[in-house]
Amino acid sequence: MRSKLTYTERVLNIWAISMILWSFYRAAFQANLGMWVDEIVAKPVIFLIPMYVFITRFEGKHFFRSVGLKVKSLWHELAVGGLMGSIFFLAMLLLSDVHFFVDKKVIQWIILALATATTEVLLSQGFVLERLLKDSKNVIRACIYASVLNFFLNVPLLFTTSGLTGDLLVRVLVIQLSLNMALSFLYAYRRSVYAPIIIKTMYLLSVYLVM
């Protein structure tokens, strides 16, 4: 009987720990603590600490370099992210009115979206996908796997967020899965999280403003 876990199984266990903890957190508190506590405090703690321990203790590597946070071509990555992110932003824009452009809280939503996107991309693309790519050598399979895992991470939030119901929820779920696929293949090609973070930030900003 096989007693030792493979490298991929260890990586997926870290993802599973974050998924379970996040699901319990959302079930216990719903949205009672507010999005700022959820996305600025709880999610980074639940998502980042397990993978930080894994990278620094088990792999013995530098955390930032191991999750795609590289300085090389930073401005180019940000430009690519801004261009592609506008596509998803406009896609969500079609679901609602344009009055939110004058929302006085837009700066707060930008900060919230950036924090959320950074945490999720670091876990899904920078940690899980990066290691699936190295271990399997199959880009398509790794990207699909990582995209589906990331989709499930967002389910507890989407189904417990007021304002996301009916047709809007279905459309958000479809766009979310499409976004995950795009981010995964983009990361696989560029091996940097900056562009995926900007793209997801713009998408999340549109979701927050639509709600």
Side-chain angles (χ1 to χ4, degrees):
M1 180 179 294
R2 182 169 60 90
S3 59
K4 292 185 178 181
L5 296 175
T6 66
Y7 178 72
T8 296
E9 288 172 339
R10 292 178 186 273
V11 170
L12 295 180
N13 280 346
I14 298 300
W15 175 88
I17 290 172
S18 296
M19 174 66 181
I20 293 171
L21 291 176
W22 181 239
S23 297
F24 276 128
Y25 173 84
R26 292 299 302 184
F29 297 104
Q30 299 289 324
N32 297 330
L33 299 181
M35 293 185 69
W36 287 93
V37 174
D38 292 345
E39 304 298 327
I40 303 295
V41 179
K43 182 173 285 186
V45 169
I46 293 172
F47 282 22
L48 300 184
I49 289 182
M51 72 177 193
Y52 176 83
V53 173
F54 181 86
I55 292 171
T56 56
R57 296 288 183 86
F58 178 75
E59 294 183 336
K61 296 180 179 179
H62 187 276
F63 176 75
F64 292 103
R65 289 194 295 268
S66 297
V67 292
L69 286 169
K70 303 172 183 178
V71 180
K72 184 179 180 180
S73 303
L74 173 60
W75 294 110
H76 183 257
E77 294 296 321
L78 295 179
V80 171
L83 180 62
M84 297 185 65
S86 63
I87 297 174
F88 288 95
F89 186 88
L90 292 174
M92 284 300 300
L93 175 62
L94 297 177
L95 300 178
S96 185
D97 299 325
V98 298
H99 70 274
F100 61 69
F101 279 113
V102 296
D103 196 315
K104 295 180 180 179
K105 295 183 178 180
V106 65
I107 300 300
Q108 297 179 26
W109 295 129
I110 292 174
I111 296 173
L112 185 62
L114 179 60
T116 302
T118 300
T119 301
E120 293 183 359
V121 169
L122 286 179
L123 175 61
S124 297
Q125 278 75 40
F127 178 70
V128 174
L129 179 57
E130 172 67 22
R131 282 145 187 83
L132 290 178
L133 289 170
K134 289 181 178 179
D135 197 45
S136 70
K137 308 299 181 181
N138 188 317
V139 175
I140 296 178
R141 182 184 301 174
C143 288
I144 292 176
Y145 204 173
S147 299
V148 173
L149 292 177
N150 181 258
F151 177 79
F152 283 121
L153 279 178
N154 286 277
V155 168
L157 174 62
L158 294 176
F159 280 92
T160 56
T161 298
S162 60
L164 280 180
T165 57
D167 291 341
L168 178 58
L169 176 59
V170 174
R171 293 174 185 177
V172 170
L173 289 173
V174 172
I175 294 178
Q176 181 72 50
L177 185 56
S178 301
L179 173 67
N180 293 341
M181 292 293 294
L183 296 183
S184 293
F185 280 103
L186 179 63
Y187 180 85
Y189 175 70
R190 310 189 71 85
R191 292 299 179 92
S192 171
V193 295
Y194 294 114
I197 286 174
I198 296 301
I199 294 170
K200 189 151 193 174
T201 296
M202 296 184 69
Y203 163 75
L204 290 174
L205 176 60
S206 68
V207 173
Y208 295 151
L209 295 174
V210 164
M211 290 190 309

